[in-house]
Amino acid sequence: MSAYADQRVLVVGGASGVGLLVHVVVSAGETPMGRVDALPLADAYAAMDSKFWGAYRTARSVRVRPSGSLTLLAGYLSQRPDRASALQSAINAALVRGLALEYAPLRVNAVSPGLLRTPLWEGMDVTARERMYEAATQRLPVGRVREAADVAKAVLFVTGNAHATGTTVYVDGGGTIA
């Protein structure tokens, strides 16, 4: 963490007026799941507005030093979609590579965590949530569901590596191959 001493890093949700930033991390976004023929259009529009347009608006409006970075969090569904994730797959595949070219020399990357054990799932029935975690534990090559700290390490890697741009780092426990 000492590599970030005296640097300003914004995790979106931050306040305005923070000045010229060195690194920006966008982790915000809600994307309801569902098949294209079943997901209400209002939910699809809300997902695009939250995750895609939220990242797009941030990239447009936040002032980052040219030597800094913009990092987006994106799920692995762009690489391994399931039967009810066409929308999430499209959203997660968007932006990073194009922004890396448009904003060069600013570095733009993504970190793709897959399933995380976070408060996001607290609204889910406890038994169903634990079954979901157990199923992932059995399927994943690493044999466990990731914690937020696993993702934070990947974010620190891409923000701290001056040669990483247009890259997506998968920290999914092998979810894209399992």
Side-chain angles (χ1 to χ4, degrees):
M1 297 285 281
S2 63
Y4 295 92
D6 301 320
Q7 293 186 17
R8 289 179 279 179
V9 178
L10 171 68
V11 176
V12 170
S16 63
V18 293
L20 191 61
L21 301 166
V22 178
H23 305 287
V24 174
V25 179
V26 181
S27 64
E30 292 185 29
T31 56
M33 296 286 286
R35 288 175 45 100
V36 169
D37 58 0
L39 185 68
L41 277 178
D43 288 352
Y45 285 126
M48 287 294 292
D49 194 47
S50 175
K51 185 133 176 134
F52 176 83
W53 289 113
Y56 188 94
R57 286 182 193 106
T58 300
R60 241 182 102 88
S61 59
V62 174
R63 295 179 10 209
V64 183
R65 288 185 191 160
S67 61
S69 70
L70 171 62
T71 303
L72 309 177
L73 263 65
Y76 70 93
L77 292 172
S78 64
Q79 296 299 308
R80 187 185 169 123
D82 64 23
R83 294 179 187 258
S85 66
L87 177 65
Q88 290 76 17
S89 179
I91 292 171
N92 288 332
L95 289 181
V96 171
R97 294 174 67 181
L99 284 176
L101 290 173
E102 286 186 28
Y103 282 9
L106 176 72
R107 295 174 301 103
V108 182
N109 295 291
V111 171
S112 181
L115 179 64
L116 287 172
R117 192 178 296 272
T118 67
L120 172 70
W121 305 106
E122 286 179 359
M124 191 177 193
D125 172 73
V126 174
T127 303
R129 182 176 63 229
E130 289 308 316
R131 270 192 239 133
M132 175 182 71
Y133 289 150
E134 182 56 32
T137 297
Q138 295 302 316
R139 180 178 56 81
L140 293 171
V142 297
R144 72 177 183 88
V145 175
R146 284 145 318 282
E147 305 290 334
D150 298 318
V151 178
K153 290 174 188 173
V155 169
L156 291 173
F157 167 74
V158 296
T159 59
N161 187 322
H163 208 64
T165 194
T167 299
T168 299
V169 175
Y170 293 93
V171 187
D172 60 7
T176 54
I177 61 170

